[in-house]
Amino acid sequence: MKTKVRLIVMNFLQFAVWGAYLTSMGTYLAKVGLGVHIGLFYAMQGVVSLFMPAILGIVADRWVPAQRLLGLSHLLSALFMGGAGYYAMTMGEDVEFTTLFAFYSVAVAFYMPTLALSNSVAYTALDKAGLETIKAFPPIRTFGTIGFICSMWIVDLLGFQQNYMQFFASAAWSVVLAVYANTLPECPVNRGSDKRKSLVDALGLRAFLLFKDRKMAIFFIFSMLLGVSLQITNGFANPFITSFSSIPEYAGTFGVQHANLLISLSQISETCCILLIPYFLSRFGIKRVMLIAMVAWVLRFGLFGFGNPGNGVWMFVLSMIVYGVAFDFFNVSGSLYVDKETDLSVRSSAQGLFVIMTNGIGATVGTLSAQWVVNRFVDFSSSLPQVDGWSKAWFIFAAYALVVAVAFSAVFRYKHERK
């Protein structure tokens, strides 16, 4: 029980850091005239995920205990995220893209690897405590989503979602976790002493050899393709909903005034859906669970395209509900699947590889492509309503998710043995 409580606190703080800005940063950027660059900011999370999780995963496997590396990464992330907030505060409406982007980029370069590192710390601690990860981890991970929600609500209710204070809030959470991480259970490192081992083993890169297994290669490739969808609504849902303020009929609605609170229904749904993962994985297996996630992404985007904050707000709410299935059944189930299919000696590296394929390549391509699509149909410099343009963009995203689902169903072969 003590181990679970300690990991619950870790997960709460881990995602509170992210929740402070992830869903509201797009609205702040649009407000200071950087709306056309929203995709670049969110894509940077993907760019750094191409190499930073793998590098720090190798370091955690080979030299530095994962829990200590987790604390150091958060401390460095807090330093640069606080720098982004300070720069934005001093410049006001004259904030320049290059400087703000530089501070933000370094901050997320140290944050993104902590998603995999925190998983490694949790799995190791649960193993030491004699607990089965596939049953014990999802309820613990639920508190990460609760942390994300609490952080979103704090930012919204304090009036931070349209200004630089969200960066300071994120930095503050990171400092707390940086200190707390050093109290977590010790994680082993696998230095080894055999001088004859291969270069791949010496560098801790054996996780990349998972691509030699056809089943794992296909799984990672489709993880990348589905990862394209991960950051689209994080970056564009808030600006989309608040854009209805230009229409008198919707300007005073709850969704427009408190977009973060409305969007937080997605994370509340996520909290509930995490608890369903052990049942669905044991009954249906990873293939069907992933397919359920893909169909949920189709609904997530399609309902945004049809909805509005007035009489169509029920479609927004339903979109938020299906997000829990879309995100958890892919992200958490995928992480657990990778954990079970890989050797203990490359656990951190394998988790890093999963993050590379999803939050790295997938999210980078996804957010940059999404920005291109949005810029094609939405004019951020115009004061006129852009609802039709936004709707077309959401329908394009829904069509993409549907194509990925059909392809995955046809290509991925997995025989599930029901327990």
Side-chain angles (χ1 to χ4, degrees):
M1 185 62 183
K2 182 180 178 181
T3 297
K4 288 184 177 180
V5 171
R6 296 172 75 183
L7 295 178
I8 282 171
V9 174
M10 179 192 73
N11 272 271
F12 182 95
L13 295 171
Q14 173 70 38
F15 287 88
V17 174
W18 219 8
Y21 69 88
L22 190 65
T23 61
S24 56
M25 183 174 62
T27 297
Y28 163 71
L29 294 173
K31 182 181 178 183
V32 296
L34 298 177
V36 295
H37 298 305
I38 291 173
L40 283 175
F41 276 81
Y42 284 88
M44 182 50 64
Q45 296 184 142
V47 171
V48 298
S49 293
L50 293 173
F51 56 92
M52 286 298 287
I55 292 173
L56 293 195
I58 291 167
V59 173
D61 279 334
R62 306 296 300 169
W63 298 291
V64 180
Q67 84 283 355
R68 298 196 182 281
L69 197 57
L70 178 68
L72 177 60
S73 296
H74 271 288
L75 186 61
L76 292 170
S77 178
L79 177 65
F80 286 95
M81 190 62 78
Y86 181 77
Y87 170 73
M89 178 180 68
T90 55
M91 296 300 292
E93 297 292 328
D94 297 323
V95 62
E96 293 183 1
F97 164 74
T98 305
T99 306
L100 182 64
F101 187 67
F103 275 113
Y104 168 82
S105 297
V106 179
V108 297
F110 286 108
Y111 175 77
M112 294 308 291
T114 64
L115 296 173
L117 286 173
S118 61
N119 282 346
S120 294
V121 171
Y123 296 152
T124 301
L126 291 172
D127 281 346
K128 284 185 175 182
L131 299 170
E132 187 177 350
T133 57
I134 199 169
K135 291 181 179 180
F137 181 68
I140 292 171
R141 172 61 180 77
T142 298
F143 284 87
T145 306
I146 292 173
F148 193 100
I149 294 168
C150 289
S151 194
M152 286 179 67
W153 280 46
I154 290 171
V155 165
D156 186 298
L157 295 175
L158 293 179
F160 295 167
Q161 70 171 334
Q162 294 190 34
N163 63 47
Y164 57 81
M165 286 300 295
Q166 58 189 279
F167 298 128
F168 286 128
S170 178
W173 286 117
S174 271
V175 170
V176 175
L177 182 50
V179 175
Y180 180 74
N182 288 284
T183 70
L184 294 170
E186 187 78 9
C187 296
V189 292
N190 301 297
R191 293 182 177 87
S193 59
D194 185 2
K195 297 181 180 179
R196 296 182 179 180
K197 58 190 173 184
S198 68
L199 180 62
V200 169
D201 285 332
L203 294 177
L205 299 176
R206 192 149 51 91
F208 290 89
L209 296 180
L210 290 170
F211 277 97
K212 294 178 66 176
D213 182 324
R214 182 178 182 275
K215 180 180 67 176
M216 290 301 295
I218 292 175
F219 176 80
F220 278 124
I221 289 171
F222 274 97
S223 293
M224 175 192 69
L225 293 174
L226 192 53
V228 166
S229 301
L230 282 180
Q231 298 297 336
I232 292 177
T233 50
N234 287 331
F236 296 103
N238 199 307
F240 162 61
I241 295 172
T242 55
S243 72
F244 281 89
S245 63
S246 62
I247 304 176
E249 178 186 354
Y250 303 120
T253 59
F254 175 84
V256 171
Q257 295 298 315
H258 296 283
N260 244 20
L261 294 186
L262 177 60
I263 294 169
S264 73
L265 293 175
S266 300
Q267 281 65 44
I268 294 173
S269 170
E270 185 185 331
T271 305
C272 299
C273 290
I274 287 177
L275 301 177
L276 300 175
I277 289 174
Y279 170 78
F280 274 81
L281 278 178
S282 62
R283 183 175 179 84
F284 301 111
I286 189 65
K287 179 174 181 176
R288 291 182 180 177
V289 168
M290 291 282 281
L291 276 173
I292 292 171
M294 292 175 183
V295 172
W297 278 114
V298 177
L299 294 174
R300 168 71 162 173
F301 297 136
L303 288 166
F304 266 138
F306 285 114
N308 64 64
N311 57 11
V313 73
W314 66 270
M315 284 185 272
F316 282 178
V317 173
L318 185 56
S319 176
M320 307 306 172
I321 292 173
V322 300
Y323 174 81
V325 177
F327 183 85
D328 287 336
F329 278 37
F330 163 57
N331 211 41
V332 180
S333 295
S335 175
L336 288 167
Y337 177 72
V338 170
D339 178 66
K340 290 301 179 184
E341 294 290 326
T342 55
D343 187 79
L344 177 63
S345 63
V346 292
R347 171 173 286 168
S348 292
S349 300
Q351 290 296 328
L353 180 58
F354 180 66
V355 172
I356 286 174
M357 301 303 291
T358 56
N359 288 287
I361 298 173
T364 300
V365 173
T367 48
L368 290 177
S369 300
Q371 183 73 76
W372 182 85
V373 171
V374 170
N375 287 348
R376 179 87 163 75
F377 297 106
V378 178
D379 184 1
F380 284 99
S381 63
S382 174
S383 60
L384 297 175
Q386 301 289 313
V387 175
D388 288 342
W390 278 112
S391 294
K392 291 176 182 177
W394 292 122
F395 292 145
I396 290 173
F397 303 148
Y400 169 80
L402 180 60
V403 170
V404 172
V406 172
F408 180 78
S409 177
V411 174
F412 187 67
R413 296 285 182 265
Y414 181 79
K415 184 177 181 181
H416 175 60
E417 295 181 5
R418 183 175 171 182
K419 295 182 180 179

